[in-house]
C-alpha cells in the first residue's frame, strides 16, 4: 500500500509514525469518481482523504447521489452528536447486524433509551472495578504465553488476549478452553464478514444489496445460538459464589423500567453487542500502543519504571490505575494517532443547519476522529507521538478535539472497561518483556470498522531480567 513515511524515529528526535498516502486534491464528484472513492474506502476507509481535509473544519460533499457534510469543527461535532435530529446511519450497521442483533450498538429511539438506562449500572466505575480480576487473569495468561518466545506476532497475541478478556468479563469463559467455540466464531466473524465491502457503500440502506451477505448471516446465526445456550446453562446452574461476577450475572439480574427481568433475547443481543464493539477495538489499541513504544524505547523504559514501581499484583481497584499516569497518557496518545473507531457518522432526520451549512433530512454527516485528531488547526505538532501532551489532563474528555470514544448520548458505554483492560494487559506484558520491532519497514494503518495494521510485524521479546543483567 502507498504510504507517506515521514521521518520514522530511528534516533533522537520526534517520532512521526507513517500514514497512508493522502491525496493531493479532492477526488472529484462524478459517478465514476464516486465508485473510485467507494472502492478506496472498501480497501481503506481512511484512504480517500485529501490534504485540505486536514485543514478544513467543514466540507460539503455529494456521494452516491446523496448530499453530505464532513464536520471536524469541535462545536459542530458536539452539535451533531448531541442533537435528537441526527441518528446513527442504519447502513453503517450492516456488517455488525447479524452478530449484534437488536442490542445497544444498533438499537434506536425509545428502545435504545431504555436499553442504555438498564445497562448503565453494568458500566459504572464500581462495576468495572469488579471486572478487574478478569483483566488481570487475561493479562497473565497472555504474558505467560509470550514468556518463552523471542519473537512474536503481537497483533495476533492481542487479538487472542482481548477476546479472552472480554469472554471472561462477559461469561467467565476462557477463549482457549470452555469458550473456544465462541472465540473461534467471533474471530472468524470479526476478521472477515465484519469488514466493510464495496456493496456496503453502494447500497443506501441497511438491507439493500445484502444478497452477498450469506457468510454474515450464517456465522452470526451460529454465534447467537452459542450465546443462547450459554444463557440457558447459566439459568439452569447459577455460578458458584466464590468467582468474580461477570456481565452476564449483571444482565440476568438487571431490571427494566417496569421492574421485570430482561427477556433472554435482549440479554443475548446485549452480550453480542458488547463483544462486537469491545474486542477488536481494544486489541487494536494495544497493538498500536506497543508499536509506538517499540519505536520509542526511551518512553517504553519510562513506562516500565512506572509499572515496576507499582506492579499489577498491587492493583485492587480502579483507583490504583492512577499509579500509571504515563501508561495512561501513552494509551490516550495512541487513541489520538490511531483512533480505533476512525470514522463514524450521523444521518439527519429533519432539515438542519450545521456551521452555516444546510443539512437536508436524509443527508449524512461524517465525523472522523482520524481527521480531527490529526487536524492542523486543532493540534500542535499533530503527526508527532508525544504522550506528555496528555499528562496534565486528568480528564482528556475535556479536550474538544479528542473523541476516540465518540460523544453525546451515544458515547461509547465501554470506554472505562476498555481503558482499564488495556492498562492492565499492557502493564502485565511490559513488566515482563522488553519489546522491539524485528524490522524497520513501516506499518501503515488500514481502516474498516476498526483501524488495524496493513501487515502484522514480528516483535522481538527480551525478558526484563535478562535485559537488565
Ligand atoms: C479502545 C476501545 C474502544 C473504542 C475506541 C470504542 C469506540 C466507540 C465509539 C467511537 C463509539 C460511538 C460510535 C458512534 O457514536 O457512532 C462506541 C460505541 C459503543 N461502544 Fe465502544 N469502543 C471501545 C471499546 C468498547 C468496549 C470494551 C465495549 C463493551 C464492553 C464497547 C461497547 C460499545 C457500545 C455498546 C457502543 C454503543 C453505545 C450506544 O450507542 O449507546 N466499546 N465505541
Amino acid at each position: 500500500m502507498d504510504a507517506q513515511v515521514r521521518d520514522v524515529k530511528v534516533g533522537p528526535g520526534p517520532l512521526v509514525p507513517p500514514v497512508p498516502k493522502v491525496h493531493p486534491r479532492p477526488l472529484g464528484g462524478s459517478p465514476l469518481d464516486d465508485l473510485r472513492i467507494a472502492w478506496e474506502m472498501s480497501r481503506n476507509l481512511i484512504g480517500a482523504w485529501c490534504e485540505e481535509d486536514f485543514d478544513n473544519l467543514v466540507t460539503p460533499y455529494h456521494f452516491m447521489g446523496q448530499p453530505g457534510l464532513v464536520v471536524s469543527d469541535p462545536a459542530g461535532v458536539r452539535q451533531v452528536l448531541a442533537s435528537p435530529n441526527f441518528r446513527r446511519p442504519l447502513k453503517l450497521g450492516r456488517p455488525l447486524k447479524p452478530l449484534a442483533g437488536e442490542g445497544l450498538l444498533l438499537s434506536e429511539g425509545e428502545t435504545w433509551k431504555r436499553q442504555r438506562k438498564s445497562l448503565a449500572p453494568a458500566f459504572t466505575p464500581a462495576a468495572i472495578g469488579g471486572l478487574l480480576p478478569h483483566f488481570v487473569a487475561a493479562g497473565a495468561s497472555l504474558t505467560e504465553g509470550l514468556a518463552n518466545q523471542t519473537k512474536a506476532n503481537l497483533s495476533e497475541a492481542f487479538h487472542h488476549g482481548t477476546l479472552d478478556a472480554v469472554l471472561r468479563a462477559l461469561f467467565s469463559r476462557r477463549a482457549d478452553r470452555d469458550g473456544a467455540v465462541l472465540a473461534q466464531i467471533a474471530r472468524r466473524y470479526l476478521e472477515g464478514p465484519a469488514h466493510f465491502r464495496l456493496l456496503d457503500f453502494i447500497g443506501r440502506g441497511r438491507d439493500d444489496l445484502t444478497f452477498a451477505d450469506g457468510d454474515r448471516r450464517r456465522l452470526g446465526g451460529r454465534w447467537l445460538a452459542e450465546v443462547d445456550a450459554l444463557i440457558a446453562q447459566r439459568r439452569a446452574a447459577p455460578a458458584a459464589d466464590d468467582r468474580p461476577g461477570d456481565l452476564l450475572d449483571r444482565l440476568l439480574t438487571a431490571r427494566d423500567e417496569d421492574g421485570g427481568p430482561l427477556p433472554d433475547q435482549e440479554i443475548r443481543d446485549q452480550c453480542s453487542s458488547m463483544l462486537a464493539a469491545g474486542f477488536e477495538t481494544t486489541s487494536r489499541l494495544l497493538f498500536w500502543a506497543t508499536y509506538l513504544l517499540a519505536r520509542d524505547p526511551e518512553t517504553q523504559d519510562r513506562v516500565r519504571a512506572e509499572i515496576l514501581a507499582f506492579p499489577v499484583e498491587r492493583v485492587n481497584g480502579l483507583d490504583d490505575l492512577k499509579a500509571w499516569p504515563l501508561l495512561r497518557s501513552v494509551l490516550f496518545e495512541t487513541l489520538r494517532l490511531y483512533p480505533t473507531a476512525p470514522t463514524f457518522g450521523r444521518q439527519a432526520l429533519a432539515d438542519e443547519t450545521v456551521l452555516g451549512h444546510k443539512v437536508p433530512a436524509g443527508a449524512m454527516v461524517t465525523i472522523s476522529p482520524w481527521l480531527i485528531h490529526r487536524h492542523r488547526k486543532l493540534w500542535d505538532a499533530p503527526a508527532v507521538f508525544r504522550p506528555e501532551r496528555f499528562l496534565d489532563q486528568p480528564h482528556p474528555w475535556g479536550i474538544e478535539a479528542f473523541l476516540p470514544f465518540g460523544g453525546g448520548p451515544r458515547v461509547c458505554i465501554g470506554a472505562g472497561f476498555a481503558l482499564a483492560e488495556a492498562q492492565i494487559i499492557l502493564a502485565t506484558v511490559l513488566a515482563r518483556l522488553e519489546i522491539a520491532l524485528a524490522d524497520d519497514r513501516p506499518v501503515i494503518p488500514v481502516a474498516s470498522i476498526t483501524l488495524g495494521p496493513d501487515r502484522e510485524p514480528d516483535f522481538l521479546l527480551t525478558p526484563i531480567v535478562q535485559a537488565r543483567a
Side-chain angles (χ1 to χ4, degrees):
M1 175 165 303
D2 289 340
Q4 288 185 345
V5 185
R6 297 185 192 129
D7 192 20
V8 171
K9 184 173 178 176
V10 281
L15 168 59
V16 181
V19 291
K21 184 167 174 263
V22 179
H23 294 278
R25 280 174 300 284
L27 292 179
S30 69
L32 208 62
D33 286 331
D34 281 0
L35 268 180
R36 184 172 160 215
I37 294 174
W39 169 244
E40 292 227 14
M41 290 200 305
S42 69
R43 290 171 65 224
N44 189 355
L45 200 53
I46 56 170
W49 296 118
C50 69
E51 285 292 344
E52 63 189 54
D53 291 321
F54 294 86
D55 285 312
N56 290 348
L57 291 168
V58 57
T59 312
Y61 67 85
H62 261 85
F63 180 61
M64 297 288 168
Q66 277 191 305
L69 203 60
V70 180
V71 178
S72 296
D73 179 89
V77 169
R78 254 200 333 272
Q79 177 198 338
V80 172
L81 291 180
S83 165
N85 284 343
F86 288 96
R87 71 154 179 226
R88 199 174 275 162
L90 292 182
K91 72 185 248 181
L92 288 188
R94 286 166 62 116
L96 291 179
K97 176 85 171 76
L99 195 70
E102 307 294 331
L104 187 68
L105 191 59
L106 301 179
S107 61
E108 283 297 329
E110 287 306 311
T111 310
W112 168 77
K113 239 187 230 167
R114 183 184 54 73
Q115 291 186 353
R116 180 99 192 188
K117 205 166 153 198
S118 66
L119 284 175
F123 288 92
T124 58
I128 290 166
L131 298 176
L132 295 188
H134 293 295
F135 303 151
V136 171
S141 162
L142 170 73
T143 310
E144 222 30 70
L146 294 173
N148 295 324
Q149 301 181 40
T150 52
K151 206 191 232 190
N153 173 344
L154 288 185
S155 170
E156 203 177 280
F158 286 135
H159 250 60
H160 184 81
T162 53
L163 185 54
D164 190 41
V166 82
L167 285 176
R168 287 175 192 257
L170 274 171
F171 307 124
S172 299
R173 301 267 156 157
R174 292 177 54 176
D176 56 354
R177 293 227 306 244
D178 34 12
V181 177
L182 280 169
Q184 187 209 17
I185 303 173
R187 209 172 285 131
R188 276 183 56 198
Y189 197 96
L190 292 167
E191 282 170 2
H195 290 248
F196 283 117
R197 298 166 174 165
L198 187 58
L199 291 181
D200 295 330
F201 296 105
I202 296 176
R204 288 213 172 168
R206 188 166 68 189
D207 303 316
D208 294 346
L209 306 177
T210 50
F211 52 82
D213 284 356
D215 56 342
R216 287 176 173 166
R217 282 188 292 271
R218 260 192 316 278
L219 270 180
R222 277 187 61 204
W223 162 261
L224 295 178
E226 282 290 324
V227 179
D228 274 339
L230 208 70
I231 296 169
Q233 273 170 32
R234 181 72 64 87
R235 281 208 191 282
D241 286 342
D242 58 349
R243 67 151 177 80
D246 57 27
L247 277 174
L248 183 54
D249 292 330
R250 288 196 164 264
L251 288 169
L252 288 169
T253 51
R255 291 292 169 262
D256 64 18
E257 275 164 346
D258 305 323
L262 304 183
D264 274 4
Q265 188 195 327
E266 180 167 337
I267 295 178
R268 177 195 75 184
D269 287 359
Q270 299 307 6
C271 291
S272 300
S273 287
M274 296 310 157
L275 189 116
F279 137 63
E280 210 186 42
T281 40
T282 317
S283 148
R284 299 306 194 196
L285 167 59
L286 285 166
F287 169 80
W288 289 117
T290 311
Y291 175 72
L292 290 166
L293 291 176
R295 283 266 184 242
D296 185 348
E298 190 259 333
T299 302
Q300 186 183 150
D301 282 348
R302 285 193 292 134
V303 172
R304 181 170 299 105
E306 194 178 78
I307 296 162
L308 294 178
F310 192 93
V312 177
E313 297 73 46
R314 286 179 57 189
V315 172
N316 277 319
L318 218 47
D319 267 356
D320 290 333
L321 304 185
K322 290 186 184 145
W324 303 326
L326 185 59
L327 172 64
R328 198 175 122 96
S329 304
V330 165
L331 290 171
F332 285 136
E333 180 68 340
T334 305
L335 284 168
R336 185 185 71 81
L337 284 171
Y338 299 97
T340 40
T343 299
F344 44 88
R346 291 293 185 265
Q347 190 162 21
L349 293 170
D351 292 352
E352 266 279 359
T353 303
V354 178
L355 303 167
H357 293 263
K358 286 200 171 10
V359 181
M364 294 289 220
V365 172
T366 302
I367 297 170
S368 169
W370 171 262
L371 275 188
I372 296 170
H373 290 180
R374 290 169 175 268
H375 203 282
R376 294 171 193 135
K377 293 204 173 101
L378 300 174
W379 294 90
D380 179 31
V384 175
F385 172 60
R386 192 193 288 162
E388 290 74 14
R389 66 175 99 224
F390 285 101
L391 264 185
D392 301 330
Q393 303 280 350
H395 299 296
W397 317 129
I399 304 175
E400 289 193 324
F402 185 59
L403 61 155
F405 295 102
R410 299 210 71 155
V411 68
C412 177
I413 201 170
F417 179 117
L419 287 171
E421 177 191 347
Q423 284 174 88
I424 288 180
I425 291 184
L426 200 52
T428 313
V429 173
L430 290 176
R432 290 276 297 274
L433 299 165
E434 197 169 278
I435 291 170
L437 279 155
D439 66 67
D440 270 345
R441 281 191 298 133
V443 179
I444 311 297
V446 179
S448 183
I449 288 204
T450 63
L451 189 70
D454 66 335
R455 68 184 181 94
E456 298 189 326
D458 277 334
F459 288 81
L460 302 176
L461 310 177
T462 312
I464 287 305
V465 181
Q466 192 182 313
R468 304 196 141 210

